[in-house]
Amino acid sequence: MPELHTPQAGDDHTPDLDVVGLLMRQHGDIRNLFDEVEQSKGDERRDALHRLVRLLAVHETAEEEVVHPFARRAFAGGEQVVEDRLAEERAAKETLSALDDLDTDDPEFLPKLRALRTDVQEHARAEERYEFTHIRRSTDVTNLATMAKAVKAAEAMAPTRPHPGVESATANVALGPVAALMDRTKDAVRKAMKNG
């Protein structure tokens, strides 16, 4: 199987000196991957779905480790803003779980994908409006750059292809690899934040 390339914020070679700009570019990459999954078929659709799930896992884990802890303490109302974002993330994960139970050729796949897309896009808009704006106002460029470095470290830890030993594509995405990916992402973020 060819190696899967998942777009990473920064592929455009823009310096990642601001975590907010980096995460907003990831939001764009996620939207593009949703388009790719919707418009493709067969193996191409499965590959695009793997890349989408990978990017969503890395993105959400990095936010949970870097952005949300900062937002909780950085601005008035930050605790509630984070709790609202976490509730949205849980809803999206439930939709993703239902999607992972289906083959990409199943007639129910596209409606569930569209439901996930709606959840993810609403979540992204809320982050940009209620969290990212306040983060930029609440810190300096050095801290924004340190957080961006931690998010980039999380991306670098994500696998670029399916793990051997888990033969079904659905199991490969839904079971061990995503959990392992999230654990490795957390470790990478913590290391980057410590060394930042």
Side-chain angles (χ1 to χ4, degrees), residues 88-104:
E88 294 161 1
E89 288 170 17
R90 279 189 294 277
K93 287 175 186 174
E94 288 172 12
T95 306
L96 181 59
S97 177
L99 186 67
D100 278 340
D101 290 337
L102 298 175
D103 183 83
T104 56

mmCIF file of all heavy atoms in Angstrom, residues 88-104:
data_model
loop_
_atom_site.group_PDB
_atom_site.id
_atom_site.type_symbol
_atom_site.label_atom_id
_atom_site.label_comp_id
_atom_site.label_asym_id
_atom_site.label_seq_id
_atom_site.Cartn_x
_atom_site.Cartn_y
_atom_site.Cartn_z
ATOM 1 N N GLU A 88 -18.496 19.569 22.207
ATOM 2 C CA GLU A 88 -18.595 19.460 20.743
ATOM 3 C C GLU A 88 -17.684 18.351 20.215
ATOM 4 O O GLU A 88 -18.071 17.588 19.323
ATOM 5 C CB GLU A 88 -18.205 20.792 20.089
ATOM 6 C CG GLU A 88 -19.154 21.924 20.374
ATOM 7 C CD GLU A 88 -18.557 23.298 20.129
ATOM 8 O OE1 GLU A 88 -17.381 23.398 19.715
ATOM 9 O OE2 GLU A 88 -19.280 24.280 20.375
ATOM 10 N N GLU A 89 -16.474 18.274 20.777
ATOM 11 C CA GLU A 89 -15.532 17.234 20.347
ATOM 12 C C GLU A 89 -16.083 15.841 20.647
ATOM 13 O O GLU A 89 -15.938 14.933 19.824
ATOM 14 C CB GLU A 89 -14.174 17.429 21.030
ATOM 15 C CG GLU A 89 -13.413 18.622 20.506
ATOM 16 C CD GLU A 89 -12.180 18.969 21.321
ATOM 17 O OE1 GLU A 89 -11.714 18.111 22.109
ATOM 18 O OE2 GLU A 89 -11.680 20.090 21.170
ATOM 19 N N ARG A 90 -16.711 15.681 21.813
ATOM 20 C CA ARG A 90 -17.305 14.373 22.146
ATOM 21 C C ARG A 90 -18.388 14.005 21.139
ATOM 22 O O ARG A 90 -18.466 12.859 20.683
ATOM 23 C CB ARG A 90 -17.868 14.388 23.567
ATOM 24 C CG ARG A 90 -16.814 14.182 24.642
ATOM 25 C CD ARG A 90 -17.425 13.975 26.016
ATOM 26 N NE ARG A 90 -18.131 15.141 26.531
ATOM 27 C CZ ARG A 90 -17.559 16.166 27.147
ATOM 28 N NH1 ARG A 90 -16.262 16.183 27.335
ATOM 29 N NH2 ARG A 90 -18.276 17.166 27.581
ATOM 30 N N ALA A 91 -19.232 14.959 20.769
ATOM 31 C CA ALA A 91 -20.296 14.685 19.794
ATOM 32 C C ALA A 91 -19.696 14.281 18.449
ATOM 33 O O ALA A 91 -20.167 13.327 17.809
ATOM 34 C CB ALA A 91 -21.198 15.911 19.631
ATOM 35 N N ALA A 92 -18.653 14.970 18.028
ATOM 36 C CA ALA A 92 -18.008 14.630 16.756
ATOM 37 C C ALA A 92 -17.372 13.242 16.823
ATOM 38 O O ALA A 92 -17.445 12.471 15.856
ATOM 39 C CB ALA A 92 -16.966 15.683 16.394
ATOM 40 N N LYS A 93 -16.775 12.903 17.961
ATOM 41 C CA LYS A 93 -16.159 11.578 18.109
ATOM 42 C C LYS A 93 -17.217 10.472 18.050
ATOM 43 O O LYS A 93 -16.969 9.398 17.506
ATOM 44 C CB LYS A 93 -15.366 11.495 19.412
ATOM 45 C CG LYS A 93 -14.068 12.277 19.359
ATOM 46 C CD LYS A 93 -13.366 12.279 20.704
ATOM 47 C CE LYS A 93 -12.153 13.192 20.677
ATOM 48 N NZ LYS A 93 -11.530 13.323 21.987
ATOM 49 N N GLU A 94 -18.400 10.729 18.599
ATOM 50 C CA GLU A 94 -19.487 9.741 18.518
ATOM 51 C C GLU A 94 -19.921 9.536 17.063
ATOM 52 O O GLU A 94 -20.142 8.409 16.622
ATOM 53 C CB GLU A 94 -20.668 10.184 19.380
ATOM 54 C CG GLU A 94 -20.402 10.072 20.865
ATOM 55 C CD GLU A 94 -21.502 10.685 21.720
ATOM 56 O OE1 GLU A 94 -22.588 10.999 21.178
ATOM 57 O OE2 GLU A 94 -21.272 10.854 22.928
ATOM 58 N N THR A 95 -20.019 10.625 16.318
ATOM 59 C CA THR A 95 -20.376 10.518 14.904
ATOM 60 C C THR A 95 -19.288 9.780 14.138
ATOM 61 O O THR A 95 -19.574 8.923 13.293
ATOM 62 C CB THR A 95 -20.617 11.922 14.299
ATOM 63 O OG1 THR A 95 -21.577 12.614 15.095
ATOM 64 C CG2 THR A 95 -21.105 11.838 12.867
ATOM 65 N N LEU A 96 -18.024 10.082 14.451
ATOM 66 C CA LEU A 96 -16.899 9.398 13.803
ATOM 67 C C LEU A 96 -16.927 7.907 14.106
ATOM 68 O O LEU A 96 -16.681 7.082 13.230
ATOM 69 C CB LEU A 96 -15.575 10.011 14.252
ATOM 70 C CG LEU A 96 -14.317 9.404 13.634
ATOM 71 C CD1 LEU A 96 -14.334 9.506 12.113
ATOM 72 C CD2 LEU A 96 -13.081 10.083 14.201
ATOM 73 N N SER A 97 -17.250 7.556 15.330
ATOM 74 C CA SER A 97 -17.330 6.147 15.704
ATOM 75 C C SER A 97 -18.399 5.429 14.882
ATOM 76 O O SER A 97 -18.175 4.320 14.388
ATOM 77 C CB SER A 97 -17.637 6.029 17.194
ATOM 78 O OG SER A 97 -17.780 4.684 17.559
ATOM 79 N N ALA A 98 -19.556 6.055 14.704
ATOM 80 C CA ALA A 98 -20.618 5.460 13.886
ATOM 81 C C ALA A 98 -20.159 5.326 12.435
ATOM 82 O O ALA A 98 -20.447 4.331 11.767
ATOM 83 C CB ALA A 98 -21.886 6.304 13.970
ATOM 84 N N LEU A 99 -19.423 6.298 11.953
ATOM 85 C CA LEU A 99 -18.902 6.271 10.594
ATOM 86 C C LEU A 99 -17.897 5.141 10.415
ATOM 87 O O LEU A 99 -17.884 4.456 9.393
ATOM 88 C CB LEU A 99 -18.250 7.616 10.280
ATOM 89 C CG LEU A 99 -17.769 7.875 8.873
ATOM 90 C CD1 LEU A 99 -18.951 7.953 7.919
ATOM 91 C CD2 LEU A 99 -16.991 9.179 8.831
ATOM 92 N N ASP A 100 -17.068 4.925 11.412
ATOM 93 C CA ASP A 100 -16.043 3.890 11.342
ATOM 94 C C ASP A 100 -16.618 2.487 11.305
ATOM 95 O O ASP A 100 -15.943 1.550 10.899
ATOM 96 C CB ASP A 100 -15.080 4.007 12.524
ATOM 97 C CG ASP A 100 -14.007 5.055 12.285
ATOM 98 O OD1 ASP A 100 -13.779 5.399 11.112
ATOM 99 O OD2 ASP A 100 -13.417 5.520 13.267
ATOM 100 N N ASP A 101 -17.862 2.334 11.724
ATOM 101 C CA ASP A 101 -18.507 1.020 11.681
ATOM 102 C C ASP A 101 -18.973 0.659 10.273
ATOM 103 O O ASP A 101 -19.424 -0.462 10.045
ATOM 104 C CB ASP A 101 -19.704 0.975 12.641
ATOM 105 C CG ASP A 101 -19.264 0.997 14.093
ATOM 106 O OD1 ASP A 101 -18.114 0.612 14.384
ATOM 107 O OD2 ASP A 101 -20.084 1.407 14.942
ATOM 108 N N LEU A 102 -18.884 1.595 9.351
ATOM 109 C CA LEU A 102 -19.388 1.378 7.990
ATOM 110 C C LEU A 102 -18.253 1.236 6.994
ATOM 111 O O LEU A 102 -17.206 1.860 7.140
ATOM 112 C CB LEU A 102 -20.249 2.573 7.560
ATOM 113 C CG LEU A 102 -21.503 2.865 8.352
ATOM 114 C CD1 LEU A 102 -22.138 4.156 7.852
ATOM 115 C CD2 LEU A 102 -22.480 1.708 8.233
ATOM 116 N N ASP A 103 -18.488 0.457 5.955
ATOM 117 C CA ASP A 103 -17.599 0.431 4.811
ATOM 118 C C ASP A 103 -17.822 1.728 4.042
ATOM 119 O O ASP A 103 -18.944 2.253 4.006
ATOM 120 C CB ASP A 103 -17.918 -0.790 3.939
ATOM 121 C CG ASP A 103 -16.961 -0.894 2.780
ATOM 122 O OD1 ASP A 103 -15.853 -1.437 2.973
ATOM 123 O OD2 ASP A 103 -17.321 -0.410 1.686
ATOM 124 N N THR A 104 -16.794 2.251 3.408
ATOM 125 C CA THR A 104 -16.936 3.528 2.695
ATOM 126 C C THR A 104 -17.879 3.435 1.494
ATOM 127 O O THR A 104 -18.306 4.468 0.976
ATOM 128 C CB THR A 104 -15.564 4.060 2.234
ATOM 129 O OG1 THR A 104 -14.926 3.066 1.431
ATOM 130 C CG2 THR A 104 -14.693 4.430 3.421
#
